[in-house]
């Protein structure tokens, strides 16, 4: 339908609606139609009750319509006989009104009576109809013009301007060094003369780099809130459109708007969507994304100076950004926002717990040590899950039980105790997880075992939870080798006891293969391959990595495969030897797991030291009572059952749990066991954790 047709249709529709309203209201407020006999009766009744003063009957000689008018308002009307017909009702009407036989009289007139006489609606309805027509016509005209106006505004920036940011540096915790770097920006925005007098130039751009959930966007808001300046926020994907030139136009419009609000902050979230290296796409120099990036480069550091505009951006893919974007004068500073250490996690927990009622015995230091590898977003989610669990239990405050369950829920998902599990599956899972736990305790470089369970969580039918004692920043070859052995422990336990293998080790094998390959190709941990780094298994960046992805010969690829296989087979043989030597411990631990479903550090230590199953049951009964209110007691007081710690291959002992420091996230992941019955649809795939640095 054309625009003209739409206008005509709209006008006609409005007219029809106005007429319908007119006749509807007319029927409600106009005179009532009655028979002529009833008309005469109503006139006579009115005269008897009120007299004839103010009363008139108007007779239309052409239509023979008799209208009863009271004080100027039409009340009733009827079709009657002509004045010369000699009708008895007509004579009665004349008699009542004091008229003569010819129809003359003081209260009888001839002519036309307005059926809406005296009603305000008779005047308002036409006016309302005209107004409605005008309004609709104006809206239609505006709509037709809106196409051209929208076309003109299509290239406008989609940035959202926030004038009053409530976030402050006090709301950001766990990154004191990063906060100090950004505090200089705030001070410049508040007192620029302090820097200009010394000839200093504030950085034009600040790039926040770090894993997801570490608070990059929160840092940008805190800077704007502390400086109390306008905050322009936009996503990198908002620049890119299918139409040529739109992205560049939006960049120009963004900076034009920012110039009018100097000083201000322009924040571009996920800048990798628009800032990727040029020349790596399929569109060449005419690629729309490249044009947008070129305009951004010019706006940040071109002929025109943008004094008072600080550009902040956030990304977790700094490796793919264009070098021209990262040079001094554009993004002068790169601030790496890493995962928080133990003190940072404690501070973050305190910030997110401000509006949550906690029981008095909640210890943030303990929580911080128990949440190694958690990001700020993970910690916030942990407290939120704990609050939900407390509300589900109709509690008024959040306790340690909810926090403990919240940690496991964030890592693995909710427990699935209602899942029906056969005895055969339970036995396989028990031996599988026992194999992981025993190897982890016997290998001196593995992280201490915290919890072993055969209760399904998420996609895992069971899990072995290990926690690091301290925040190691490096993964040694010995530790990686022990970790590979630990991952193979579940599969080896099935081979030894069940005399068969299940699909539950699929994720373990995947992680083992990935670790072993990186040890050979990236970390130089193979004597045969040497200190040569080959390409990693990271996703190919089209245009940049296409050639590098095949940078070695087929002979070298064969050597790499042999070395990877050698590492895995060596760890497998070692796991077979350890579990075969400790077969009795393996059987006892599986028996306890089948009976009690979950065991902890102390129970694992007792079994390795030769304690009987009955002794373990007795200890668990007493420990469960102590840990009923505070489950963290199991890991804080390790002197209860075993003061010696776990045995190792060379007689070493596990480090104390109270050691401070940060932990790489890859060390704090559980070893999970998938459901054997999932083999019908392929092996179970538990949620992947990080495996390496």
């Amino acid at each position: 339908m054309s625009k003209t047709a739409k206008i005509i249709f709209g006008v006609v529709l409005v007219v029809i609606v106005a007429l319908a309203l007119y006749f509807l209201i007319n029927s409600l407020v106009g005179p009532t139609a009655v028979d002529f006999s009833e008309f005469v009766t109503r006139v006579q009744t009115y005269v008897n009750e009120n007299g004839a003063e103010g009363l008139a009957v108007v007779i239309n000689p052409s239509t023979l319509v008799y209208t009863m008018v009271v004080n100027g308002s039409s009340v009733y009307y009827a079709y009657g006989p002509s004045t010369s017909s000699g009708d008895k009702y007509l004579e009665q009407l004349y008699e009542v009104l004091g008229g003569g036989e010819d129809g003359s009289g003081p209260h009888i007139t001839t002519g036309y009576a307005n059926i809406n006489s005296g009603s305000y609606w008779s005047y308002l309805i036409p006016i309302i109809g005209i107004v409605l027509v005008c309004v609709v016509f104006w809206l239609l005209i505006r709509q037709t013009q809106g196409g051209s106006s929208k076309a003109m505004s299509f290239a406008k920036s989609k940035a959202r301007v926030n004038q009053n940011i409530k976030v402050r540096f006090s709301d950001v915790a766990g990154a004191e060094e990063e906060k100090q770097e950004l505090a200089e920006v705030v001070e410049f925005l508040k007192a620029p003369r302090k820097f200009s007098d010394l000839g200093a130039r504030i950085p034009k751009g600040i790039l926040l780099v770090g894993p997801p959930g570490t608070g990059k966007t929160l840092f940008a808001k805190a800077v704007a809130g502390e400086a109390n300046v306008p905050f322009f926020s936009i996503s990198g994907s908002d620049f890119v459109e299918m139409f040529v030139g739109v992205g560049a136009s939006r960049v120009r419009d963004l900076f034009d708007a920012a110039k009018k609000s100097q000083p201000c902050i322009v924040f571009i979230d996920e800048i990798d969507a628009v800032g990727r290296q040029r020349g790596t796409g399929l569109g060449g120099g005419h690629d729309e994304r490249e044009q947008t990036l070129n305009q951004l480069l010019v706006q940040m550091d071109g002929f025109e100076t943008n004094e008072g505009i600080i550009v902040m951006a956030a990304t977790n893919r700094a490796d793919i950004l264009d070098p021209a974007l990262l040079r001094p004068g554009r993004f002068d500073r790169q601030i790496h926002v890493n995962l928080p250490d133990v003190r940072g996690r404690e501070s973050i927990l305190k910030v997110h717990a401000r509006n949550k009622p906690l029981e008095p015995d909640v210890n943030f230091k303990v929580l911080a040590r128990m949440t190694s590898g958690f990001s700020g977003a993970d910690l916030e989610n942990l407290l939120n899950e704990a609050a939900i669990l407390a509300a589900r239990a109709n509690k008024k405050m959040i306790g340690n039980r909810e926090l403990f369950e919240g940690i496991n829920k964030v890592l693995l998902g909710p427990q699935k105790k209602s899942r029906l599990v056969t005895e055969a599956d339970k036995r396989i899972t028990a031996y599988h997880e026992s194999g992981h736990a025993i190897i982890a305790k016997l290998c001196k470089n593995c992280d201490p075992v915290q919890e072993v369970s055969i209760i399904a969580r998420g996609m895992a039918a069971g899990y072995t939870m290990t926690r690091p004692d301290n925040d190691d920043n490096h993964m040694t070859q010995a530790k990686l080798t022990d970790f590979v052995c630990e991952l193979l422990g579940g599969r080896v336990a099935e081979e030894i006891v069940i005399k068969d293998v299940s699909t539950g080790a699929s994720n373990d094998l995947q992680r083992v293969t990935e670790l072993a390959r990186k040890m050979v190709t990236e970390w130089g941990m193979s004597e045969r391959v040497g200190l040569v780094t080959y390409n990693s298994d990271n996703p190919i960046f089209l245009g940049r990595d296409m050639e590098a992805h095949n940078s070695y010969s087929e002979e070298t690829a064969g050597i790499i495969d042999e070395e990877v296989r050698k590492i895995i087979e060596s760890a497998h043989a070692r796991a077979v030897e350890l579990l075969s030597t400790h077969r009795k411990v393996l059987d006892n631990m599986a028996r306890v797991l089948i009976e009690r479903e979950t065991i902890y550090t102390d129970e694992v230590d007792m079994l390795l030291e030769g304690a009987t199953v009955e002794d373990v049951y007795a200890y668990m009964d007493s420990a469960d009572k102590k840990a009923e209110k505070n489950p963290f007691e199991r890991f804080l007081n390790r002197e209860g059952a075993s003061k010696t710690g776990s045995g190792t291959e060379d007689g070493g002992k596990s480090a104390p749990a109270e050691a401070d420091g940060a932990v790489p996230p890859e060390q704090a992941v559980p070893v999970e066991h998938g459901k054997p019955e999932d083999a019908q649809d392929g092996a179970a795939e538990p949620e992947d954790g990080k495996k390496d640095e």
Side-chain angles (χ1 to χ4, degrees):
M1 186 182 292
S2 64
K3 296 178 181 178
T4 305
K6 288 182 179 179
I7 295 174
I8 296 174
F9 176 77
V11 172
V12 172
L13 181 63
V14 170
V15 171
I16 293 174
V17 171
L19 290 174
L21 288 174
Y22 177 83
F23 287 110
L24 176 63
I25 297 175
N26 181 42
S27 63
L28 296 176
V29 303
T32 305
V34 295
D35 294 336
F36 187 68
S37 59
E38 185 178 353
F39 179 84
V40 175
T41 302
R42 292 185 180 275
V43 172
Q44 186 174 7
T45 302
Y46 182 85
V47 172
N48 295 334
E49 294 178 355
N50 305 299
E53 189 69 27
L55 175 66
V57 173
V58 181
I59 305 173
N60 190 332
S62 59
T63 60
L64 297 179
V65 175
Y66 290 71
T67 306
M68 177 181 175
V69 181
V70 179
N71 297 323
S73 300
S74 301
V75 182
Y76 300 101
Y77 74 94
Y79 290 92
S82 67
T83 56
S84 59
S85 64
D87 185 85
K88 65 176 183 177
Y89 292 107
L90 183 60
E91 294 177 355
Q92 184 180 348
L93 178 64
Y94 290 160
E95 183 179 352
V96 170
L97 296 175
E101 296 180 358
D102 56 354
S104 60
H107 302 289
I108 301 175
T109 60
T110 57
Y112 174 76
N114 187 2
I115 61 172
N116 285 324
S117 178
S119 174
Y120 292 105
W121 288 104
S122 62
Y123 306 101
L124 290 177
I125 287 179
I127 298 175
I128 293 174
I130 294 173
V131 171
L132 285 176
V133 171
C134 295
V135 169
V136 173
F137 187 77
W138 177 75
L139 290 175
L140 291 172
I141 294 295
R142 186 181 179 185
Q143 184 178 3
T144 57
Q145 295 178 347
S148 59
S149 64
K150 288 181 180 179
M152 297 300 295
S153 64
F154 189 74
K156 296 292 183 180
S157 171
K158 296 182 178 181
R160 295 165 293 277
V161 186
N162 298 304
Q163 295 286 347
N164 299 313
I165 303 293
K166 304 298 183 182
V167 182
R168 298 292 185 268
F169 279 148
S170 59
D171 301 319
V172 184
E176 298 303 321
E177 292 79 7
E178 293 84 348
K179 200 183 295 184
Q180 182 64 34
E181 291 283 328
L182 295 172
E184 296 178 359
V185 179
V186 175
E187 194 170 355
F188 171 80
L189 292 171
K190 290 184 176 180
R193 192 175 183 87
K194 174 182 176 181
F195 295 86
S196 60
D197 289 344
L198 296 174
R201 176 184 60 82
I202 200 69
K204 292 185 177 181
I206 298 175
L207 182 64
L208 301 172
V209 184
T214 52
K216 299 183 294 293
T217 305
L218 189 64
F219 264 121
K221 291 182 179 179
V223 171
E226 290 285 346
N228 194 25
V229 296
F231 183 73
F232 294 80
S233 61
I234 191 172
S235 173
S237 60
D238 289 337
F239 291 112
V240 183
E241 292 283 355
M242 63 178 292
F243 302 104
V244 177
V246 172
S249 178
R250 287 178 177 175
V251 172
R252 289 191 297 269
D253 184 72
L254 171 62
F255 280 87
D256 289 340
K259 290 177 184 178
K260 300 176 183 178
S261 303
Q262 296 179 355
C264 64
I265 294 175
V266 175
F267 177 66
I268 305 175
D269 200 8
E270 305 297 340
I271 195 174
D272 52 276
V274 69
R276 295 193 176 190
Q277 294 183 18
R278 291 167 292 179
T280 56
L282 300 178
H286 297 286
D287 185 23
E288 167 63 13
R289 181 185 54 77
E290 292 194 5
Q291 293 188 29
T292 306
L293 175 59
N294 291 335
Q295 187 63 47
L296 180 62
L297 296 175
V298 172
Q299 290 292 341
M300 291 187 68
D301 189 22
F303 283 103
E304 297 184 7
T305 59
N306 296 319
E307 299 292 339
I309 300 177
I310 296 178
V311 182
M312 299 184 67
T315 181
N316 54 3
R317 295 293 308 276
D319 59 308
I320 66 173
L321 295 180
D322 194 277
L325 196 63
L326 302 177
R327 73 161 176 82
R330 291 193 174 114
F331 283 109
D332 305 83
R333 287 186 182 180
Q334 293 188 31
I335 299 177
H336 292 267
V337 186
N338 298 315
L339 293 171
D341 59 9
V342 64
R343 293 184 179 86
R345 293 193 297 272
E346 182 181 350
S347 302
I348 294 172
L349 286 168
K350 290 179 179 179
V351 169
H352 290 300
R354 288 174 179 173
N355 63 338
K356 294 178 174 62
L358 301 176
E359 293 182 356
D361 59 344
V362 172
N363 192 329
F364 289 111
K365 292 184 180 294
V366 176
L367 280 176
R369 290 200 298 269
M370 297 290 293
T371 51
S372 304
F374 277 44
S375 66
D378 292 331
L379 295 171
E380 189 276 334
N381 190 32
L382 158 64
L383 291 174
N384 185 64
E385 291 290 346
I388 294 173
L389 291 171
R392 188 183 300 172
N394 296 320
K395 296 179 62 176
K396 300 297 182 182
M397 302 181 76
I398 304 171
N400 286 303
R401 291 184 60 85
E402 290 77 29
L403 292 169
F404 183 81
E405 176 62 23
I407 294 174
N408 290 335
K409 196 172 181 180
V410 170
L411 284 174
L412 296 169
Q415 287 187 343
K416 299 181 179 180
K417 293 185 177 182
S418 61
R419 176 182 292 178
L420 296 177
V421 182
T422 64
E423 292 298 323
D425 287 343
K426 185 181 286 188
R427 184 168 180 264
I428 293 175
T429 305
Y431 274 102
H432 186 105
E433 302 306 331
S434 298
H436 285 308
I438 293 173
I439 297 294
K441 297 296 287 188
L442 294 177
C443 296
K444 65 178 181 179
N445 294 302
C446 289
D447 296 325
V449 177
Q450 174 181 301
E451 182 181 354
V452 185
S453 178
I454 61 172
I455 299 176
R457 279 186 179 271
M459 297 181 64
Y463 59 91
T464 299
M465 187 77 69
T466 59
R467 291 285 182 189
D469 288 330
N470 48 45
D471 287 349
D472 295 332
N473 294 318
H474 297 88
M475 296 285 284
T476 64
Q477 184 175 358
K479 187 165 187 174
L480 289 170
T481 304
D482 286 354
F483 188 47
V484 171
C485 187
E486 176 192 346
L487 290 172
L488 292 174
R491 170 69 175 242
V492 171
E494 295 180 20
E495 295 174 359
I496 295 175
V497 180
I498 309 299
K499 305 300 182 181
D500 196 1
V501 293
S502 70
T503 60
S506 61
N507 182 252
D508 297 332
L509 298 179
Q510 179 183 349
R511 295 166 67 182
V512 164
T513 305
E514 184 177 349
L515 271 178
R517 184 166 294 278
K518 287 189 175 184
M519 290 173 66
V520 175
T521 61
E522 295 185 36
W523 301 328
M525 297 180 181
S526 171
E527 293 183 1
R528 190 177 178 186
V529 175
L531 304 180
V532 181
T533 300
Y534 297 96
N535 58 285
S536 66
D537 293 330
N538 294 327
I540 299 176
F541 184 34
L542 187 62
R544 186 190 69 181
D545 298 333
M546 188 64 74
E547 295 295 330
H549 201 66
N550 297 315
S551 58
Y552 50 86
S553 65
E554 293 294 331
E555 182 181 358
T556 303
I559 295 175
I560 291 174
D561 292 339
E562 291 177 6
E563 289 296 294
V564 170
R565 185 180 296 274
K566 180 180 177 181
I567 293 174
I568 297 175
E569 289 179 351
S570 175
H572 180 270
R574 183 183 174 197
V576 171
E577 180 183 358
L578 290 174
L579 291 181
S580 299
T581 306
H582 296 80
R583 173 63 188 273
K584 184 177 180 181
V585 178
L586 179 63
D587 292 333
N588 289 340
M589 189 176 296
R591 179 181 171 185
V592 175
L593 281 173
I594 294 173
E595 180 67 25
R596 299 296 180 93
E597 294 186 331
T598 302
I599 60 176
Y600 300 92
T601 302
D602 292 340
E603 292 85 354
V604 176
D605 290 342
M606 291 179 65
L607 290 168
L608 281 168
E609 293 174 354
T612 63
V613 174
E614 288 74 17
D615 293 338
V616 174
Y617 288 161
Y619 174 78
M620 291 182 68
D621 292 336
S622 61
D624 288 342
K625 293 180 180 179
K626 295 179 181 179
E628 185 175 355
K629 181 173 178 59
N630 187 5
F632 297 109
E633 291 290 335
R634 293 182 179 273
F635 314 105
L636 299 179
N637 302 323
R638 295 190 176 178
E639 297 84 8
S642 173
K643 297 182 180 181
T644 61
S646 64
T648 64
E649 287 184 278
D650 54 358
K653 300 177 182 179
S654 61
E658 288 78 8
D660 256 0
V663 174
E666 57 270 19
Q667 302 180 42
V669 299
V671 179
E672 304 171 347
H673 175 234
K675 287 188 65 179
E677 59 264 31
D678 290 340
Q680 300 175 1
D681 300 320
E685 295 289 337
E687 121 181 73
D688 289 338
K690 299 180 181 177
K691 290 76 94 174
D692 49 41
E693 284 191 290

